[in-house]
Amino acid sequence: SIILEIPIGITGKNADLLVGTGMKLVQFSFIDSDTPVGPPVRGGSFLCNDIHRETPMQRSRFLYCLLFLSMTLTSVKADDVEQQIKQIKQVQKEGQGNQAASQAVQQLSKADASALIPILSSFEGANPLAVNWLCGAFEAVAANAIEQKQLPADELEAFVLDKSKNPRARRLAYETLIKVDPDATDRIIPGMINDASVTLRRDAVKRLIDEAKALEKAGKKDQAKQIYQQALSGATDDDQVKAIVKPLRALGEKIDLQKHFGFLSDWKII
C-alpha cells in the first residue's frame, strides 16, 4: 500500500482514510503537525464536522489534500489499466496465458470511461486472440459508460478519424459512437471512401451507391453517373463493384475493370 502523511493543521485530530482501488489499497493519514502521531483513527466521520470550525487557511489545506487524493487515485487507476492490458496482450494460442488474461479482462471490464481509448490503442501490435479479449473488455466498459452517460464521444470520434490507428479498433470506436450519436455517420462516413479500414470504406461506398440509385430513379442520369464513378473509385469488394459497373454501363460508360483493380494486361519478356 501507499502511505501518505499530509499535515493539514487540524489541531489535535488524526484521521485515517482508506480507499479501495480494485487491486491496490491507498492509505492516507491526515496528521496535525504539532501533535505526536499515534495509531490512526479508523473512520474519520468527525473530520468533516471539525473542518467547519477551522480557519479558512486550514480548510484550504484540506481541499488541497482532497485534490491530491483525486490525482493519486487517477494515477493508480491508469497504472492498473496499463498492467491489465499488458497481461491480456500476452495471451497466446493453445491456452497459453488464458487464466491470467481472463482475470485481467474481468478487472479491466470494471474500469471507468477513461480506459476506453487506451484499450483501443492497445490493439496495435496485439495478436488476433488478444484483440478478441480486448474487444470484450472494451464493450463492457463502453456499455457501462453509455449507461452512466459518460461516454467520451469527442475522443472516440477523433480516434475514428485518425487513419494511423488500428482499423479494427477504429471500427469498434465508430460503432460505439453512433449508439449515442447517430448523426456521427453523416460526419464520418463520407470521408472514408478511400480509407485503410475495409469496413469503413465499404460503408462509404454503399452510401454513394444508394445515393446514385436514388438520382437515377429520379431521372438525373448525369448526376447519378458521377456518383457511381465516385463510388467505384473506392470499391474493392466484388459485390459492390458489380453493383456499380452494371448501371454505369447501362448509362453508356465504358468500364475497364482490369485497370480499376490494377491488373497487368500487357507485359514483355526481356
Side-chain angles (χ1 to χ4, degrees):
S1 64
I2 304 170
I3 301 178
L4 298 179
E5 296 184 349
I6 309 171
I8 60 174
I10 300 178
T11 305
K13 295 294 187 293
N14 295 325
D16 179 57
L17 176 63
L18 296 177
V19 183
T21 59
M23 298 179 67
K24 296 184 179 180
L25 187 66
V26 182
Q27 177 177 333
F28 289 86
S29 296
F30 296 92
I31 302 159
D32 177 72
S33 57
D34 298 326
T35 304
V37 179
V41 179
R42 302 297 173 183
S45 60
F46 63 90
L47 181 61
C48 293
N49 294 328
D50 289 346
I51 282 297
H52 294 293
R53 294 197 292 270
E54 300 296 331
T55 67
M57 178 63 72
Q58 290 166 339
R59 286 198 295 271
S60 296
R61 290 176 180 174
F62 180 70
L63 291 175
Y64 283 130
C65 291
L66 290 181
L67 177 61
F68 186 83
L69 168 62
S70 176
M71 293 171 63
T72 303
L73 292 180
T74 299
S75 175
V76 170
K77 287 183 179 179
D79 290 344
D80 285 346
V81 167
E82 183 179 344
Q83 289 301 315
Q84 290 154 5
I85 288 174
K86 183 178 180 180
Q87 192 69 61
I88 293 169
K89 292 181 74 171
Q90 292 176 358
V91 71
Q92 300 292 334
K93 295 180 179 179
E94 299 179 358
Q96 183 178 350
N98 273 11
Q99 184 175 355
S102 177
Q103 293 174 351
V105 167
Q106 290 179 20
Q107 291 295 327
L108 187 56
S109 297
K110 299 174 184 177
D112 61 27
S114 65
L116 290 172
I117 299 301
I119 295 174
L120 291 173
S121 299
S122 71
F123 280 36
E124 195 65 37
N127 64 56
L129 185 58
V131 167
N132 287 338
W133 287 77
L134 290 167
C135 281
F138 176 89
E139 289 171 352
V141 175
N144 188 49
I146 291 173
E147 183 179 353
Q148 296 179 355
K149 301 186 185 303
Q150 294 180 349
L151 192 75
D154 291 342
E155 293 180 40
L156 287 175
E157 184 163 347
F159 190 94
V160 175
L161 295 174
D162 187 346
K163 297 184 180 182
S164 69
K165 300 298 185 182
N166 180 277
R168 185 171 177 183
R170 291 173 64 212
R171 179 70 194 192
L172 184 56
Y174 168 72
E175 291 179 350
T176 303
L177 175 62
I178 60 177
K179 290 179 181 179
V180 299
D181 183 9
D183 293 339
T185 296
D186 295 332
R187 297 194 303 271
I188 294 173
I189 295 303
M192 300 294 175
I193 189 65
N194 290 302
D195 196 81
S197 170
V198 175
T199 58
L200 291 173
R201 184 173 67 245
R202 183 177 174 85
D203 284 358
V205 171
K206 182 181 183 304
R207 187 183 180 94
L208 290 173
I209 292 174
D210 292 342
E211 182 182 351
K213 286 180 178 179
L215 290 169
E216 187 178 8
K217 187 175 181 179
K220 300 178 181 180
K221 295 184 178 181
D222 289 341
Q223 291 178 329
K225 188 186 298 185
Q226 291 179 355
I227 300 300
Y228 275 129
Q229 289 172 336
Q230 186 179 350
L232 186 60
S233 70
T236 56
D237 292 336
D238 184 63
D239 61 323
Q240 288 191 324
V241 170
K242 289 178 178 178
I244 296 167
V245 169
K246 184 176 179 179
L248 272 177
R249 286 175 173 167
L251 291 170
E253 286 293 304
K254 293 183 179 180
I255 307 298
D256 186 344
L257 288 180
Q258 284 187 332
K259 184 178 179 180
H260 172 73
F261 286 112
F263 297 151
L264 292 175
S265 57
D266 297 308
W267 63 89
K268 293 181 180 180
I269 299 178
I270 300 177

